[in-house]
Structure formats: C-alpha cells, structure tokens
Amino acid sequence: MVSKRKCSFCGATIEPGTGIMYVKNSGAILWFCSSKCFKAYKMGRDPKRLPWTEHYLGKRGKR
C-alpha cells in the first residue's frame, strides 16, 4: 500500500505519485510537495518565518 508523505519544509501532505524526493549526501531523504518548497529549502529559508507553511501556523498557535 502506498502511503502519504509529509513535506519536509512546509508540512503539507503529499499525494502518492507527486512531489520531489531529495537525497542529501548524508543519506537523509527529504520530501517536498512543490518546487516552491524545494527552492525555499535550497535558499536556506526558515519555514517558521513564512506565513504559507504549517510550521508558521503551529508556532503562533493558530493550528
């Protein structure tokens, strides 16, 4: 059975067959729901400071 994954950057649910899998040199696997999340991760942005992420909402108690 195929499982749903969670985006490593924004925390959104990723449907099976979609998203981007990124493998770091250390062997860690990161999943991204969109190129928007992947690019923000590569630029070094903090997900807790971006209002469109679930981490932002959880930090402010609006979840």
Side-chain angles (χ1 to χ4, degrees), residues 18-30:
T18 62
I20 300 168
M21 181 177 75
Y22 179 69
V23 182
K24 296 173 70 171
N25 287 336
S26 64
I29 299 174
L30 302 175

Side-chain angles (χ1 to χ4, degrees), residues 5-8 14 17-23 29-39:
R5 302 191 189 278
K6 208 164 178 96
C7 180
S8 299
I14 303 172
T18 62
I20 300 168
M21 181 177 75
Y22 179 69
V23 182
I29 299 174
L30 302 175
W31 289 91
F32 298 99
C33 61
S34 63
S35 61
K36 179 180 181 179
C37 290
F38 181 64
K39 290 174 187 176

Side-chain angles (χ1 to χ4, degrees), residues 48-49 55-63:
K48 290 177 270 182
R49 300 185 77 194
H55 297 293
Y56 178 88
L57 298 174
K59 179 182 170 188
R60 284 161 174 63
K62 297 179 183 177
R63 202 169 180 185

